[in-house]
Amino acid sequence: MTTARLKKMIRKTLLWPDINVVSSQTLYQSLLGCIDLYETTKDEYWAEQCKLIGELICEHQNPDGGFDIGFQFVFGTNVYKSDPNESTSPELLSLYALYRYREIFNDESVDHAIEQAVNWILRFVYEVADGKYAIPYAPYSVPDAHIVNGTSFALPGLAYYCRNNPKDNKALDVVHGMVRFLKDELEAAPDCNGMYFRYFHRESTHFNTEVQKEKIDNYHVAQQIRYHTAVQRLIPSNDNLFIIENLSCYLLSRQDTDTGIISYCEDSQSYPRDIHTWGFSSCIKGFSSAYLISGDKRYREAAKKVLDWLLKYSYTGDYFYPILREDGLVIDDEFYVRNNAWVFHGMTNYLKNIQFSEMLYEICRKNYQSISGCNFKGYDIKIWNNRLIKGVRLKKRLFGQEAVV
């Protein structure tokens, strides 16, 4: 048995029975991907799938109006949700997906879920400084923004609300204030004209105890480009355009021009390492969004390089390997449904915004069948529970390391 297989077996043993979960990310990525394919092909099959997934998102919405990733996870040094089912702000992309579904199919059945999710945002958003707003990443556990991208991912749903309710000036002020907060979080990259977001909010109460203070997560930057571009179509502003242009320039500078690879984390001291295909595929959406808003062909070419690498090294013919080395060696060959939903949406976004091909369409269709075939649920590499947390701490103590997770 290989070391990787042994670690996987131990992890699953410690996680039992929490290995068969439905993640909000699986659902909203699948819905957005199916919407892409419906808009591209007008095939009623994709409309039917959109309705199915829209219903599942509403069914899995938390009673407080927010959305839960579906499992416990660690989001900083010794920082994790006080309740494994707690709603977190990045999962508000479920709201954006429901708004997209509502707009295209005029299905009023999702209106209550949309209203509840908007109220969740307005309940927890707070004023960081005069005219600047942010939202906690996990409001019941950490009362401040902590991780910057949570505010980025809350924005498109609230921007949709403001576009549809133009008389709500208070909510519109919050949208503009969130954009101002994020613009001020940008930091200049020394070796290019672009700017990036540090992963952890510098003013968070947990920042000083965070081991990875300098972490720059390139895959989340790619996601932020995609959703700030969505905001720009709904509630355009010069500040938001500034964010998009600078993040896009930064991300392009991080791509290896020969291989197309972009590292998960910018510096070698931060983790995860290797190529995680759920995040790497987000670079397709980031670059295609940058191309749509700028018309710069470099972004279209960059998206194709990411797609080509994934198809060459990660695609099995049925699903996509989740973790590989930069040379293409497979580190983890497990089928993770959430991982494949992310890749599915990356590919559909390419089909819709960059170039349609029958070959890629068939890959998307087959990949979606692997996602829907397990009812959108399964084991996930990011799952944590109390047994695993205690097990990791014990292991670190035994090896003379600081017992942090």
Side-chain angles (χ1 to χ4, degrees):
M1 180 181 294
T2 65
T3 302
R5 290 281 181 186
L6 180 60
K7 285 182 178 179
K8 190 184 298 183
M9 184 181 73
I10 293 171
R11 187 179 180 92
K12 284 188 176 181
T13 301
L14 287 170
L15 285 169
W16 183 88
D18 306 319
I19 62 172
N20 201 31
V21 300
V22 177
S23 172
S24 58
Q25 293 186 4
T26 302
L27 296 179
Y28 72 68
Q29 291 292 339
S30 296
L31 177 53
L32 291 170
C34 288
I35 288 172
D36 283 345
L37 294 182
Y38 175 75
E39 290 185 310
T40 303
T41 68
K42 299 303 179 185
D43 188 332
E44 282 301 310
Y45 171 78
W46 298 115
E48 294 165 3
Q49 297 307 301
C50 288
K51 182 172 179 57
L52 167 68
I53 303 167
E55 290 172 352
L56 287 173
I57 290 175
C58 295
E59 179 184 326
H60 284 88
Q61 185 176 28
N62 275 347
D64 68 352
F67 298 91
D68 167 35
I69 195 172
F71 47 82
Q72 179 64 283
F73 66 100
V74 175
F75 55 99
T77 303
N78 284 330
V79 182
Y80 40 89
K81 296 186 290 184
S82 56
D83 182 329
N85 300 315
E86 178 179 345
S87 303
T88 55
S89 54
E91 305 318 307
L92 289 164
L93 289 174
S94 301
L95 170 61
Y96 173 72
L98 287 178
Y99 260 125
R100 289 279 293 129
Y101 171 75
R102 175 67 167 88
E103 181 176 47
I104 293 165
F105 298 103
N106 198 30
D107 185 348
E108 297 178 359
S109 68
V110 300
D111 285 356
H112 180 69
I114 286 174
E115 180 184 1
Q116 293 294 99
V118 170
N119 288 339
W120 191 92
I121 297 174
L122 296 175
R123 174 185 174 189
F124 289 110
V125 73
Y126 68 100
E127 194 167 16
V128 178
D130 187 28
K132 295 195 297 183
Y133 289 86
I135 193 165
Y137 190 90
Y140 301 107
S141 303
V142 181
D144 56 43
H146 182 53
I147 295 176
V148 173
N149 64 52
T151 300
S152 289
F153 301 143
L155 257 173
L158 191 58
Y160 243 121
Y161 168 80
C162 291
R163 199 280 304 271
N164 293 351
N165 298 272
K167 293 183 179 180
D168 193 335
N169 293 323
K170 183 176 180 180
L172 182 61
D173 286 343
V174 170
V175 166
H176 288 307
M178 292 167 85
V179 171
R180 281 192 290 271
F181 163 75
L182 288 160
K183 183 183 178 184
D184 283 354
E185 286 296 302
L186 288 171
E187 299 187 20
D191 56 350
C192 76
N193 293 326
M195 304 178 80
Y196 60 84
F197 287 127
R198 190 190 298 260
Y199 189 72
F200 293 104
H201 178 38
R202 291 162 294 187
E203 304 302 321
S204 169
T205 54
H206 286 271
F207 187 75
N208 288 334
T209 57
E210 176 54 52
V211 171
Q212 298 191 85
K213 287 187 179 69
E214 304 305 317
K215 181 175 179 177
I216 304 166
D217 184 326
N218 291 328
Y219 294 166
H220 279 88
V221 167
Q223 295 172 48
Q224 287 168 284
I225 294 168
R226 189 261 187 263
Y227 292 106
H228 277 272
T229 303
V231 171
Q232 190 67 7
R233 294 194 195 101
L234 296 162
I235 305 292
S237 72
N238 290 333
D239 283 345
N240 192 47
L241 185 60
F242 181 88
I243 292 171
I244 296 165
E245 290 174 344
N246 278 278
L247 291 182
S248 301
C249 182
Y250 165 79
L251 189 67
L252 185 64
S253 76
R254 265 48 199 170
Q255 185 176 50
D256 185 290
T257 54
D258 294 324
T259 65
I261 287 173
I262 296 171
S263 298
Y264 196 141
C265 294
E266 185 57 24
D267 69 281
S268 60
Q269 302 305 310
S270 297
Y271 52 86
R273 308 308 304 165
D274 300 312
I275 303 297
H276 290 235
T277 57
W278 76 270
F280 188 42
S281 65
S282 293
C283 295
I284 298 174
K285 291 177 284 185
F287 285 135
S288 69
S289 298
Y291 170 65
L292 286 180
I293 207 163
S294 70
D296 189 332
K297 293 181 180 179
R298 292 179 302 164
Y299 295 125
R300 183 179 66 185
E301 293 162 1
K304 186 176 187 305
K305 288 179 181 178
V306 176
L307 176 66
D308 288 346
W309 193 95
L310 287 168
L311 293 177
K312 180 178 180 179
Y313 293 107
S314 179
Y315 187 49
T316 69
D318 294 304
Y319 68 95
F320 287 83
Y321 291 132
I323 305 175
L324 303 93
R325 279 194 340 203
E326 291 189 1
D327 62 4
L329 181 72
V330 177
I331 302 298
D332 189 342
D333 62 1
E334 185 107 4
F335 170 79
Y336 299 124
V337 63
R338 182 174 67 98
N339 176 83
N340 277 268
W342 278 91
V343 180
F344 170 68
H345 183 206
M347 292 188 301
T348 65
N349 197 259
Y350 186 91
L351 280 174
K352 177 185 172 185
N353 296 329
I354 303 294
Q355 184 178 18
F356 183 86
S357 80
E358 288 293 342
M359 181 201 73
L360 186 58
Y361 178 67
E362 286 306 313
I363 291 173
C364 288
R365 190 179 184 92
K366 193 168 186 178
N367 190 31
Y368 177 73
Q369 288 170 349
S370 71
I371 296 165
S372 60
C374 60
N375 297 315
F376 305 94
K377 66 173 61 174
Y379 175 62
D380 197 288
I381 195 172
K382 293 290 186 180
I383 297 175
W384 287 77
N385 64 14
N386 287 333
R387 284 193 303 276
L388 183 58
I389 290 169
K390 290 176 182 177
V392 169
R393 285 178 172 162
L394 175 61
K395 173 194 167 230
K396 290 193 173 186
R397 286 194 186 100
L398 290 174
F399 284 89
Q401 300 170 339
E402 187 178 0
V404 297
V405 293

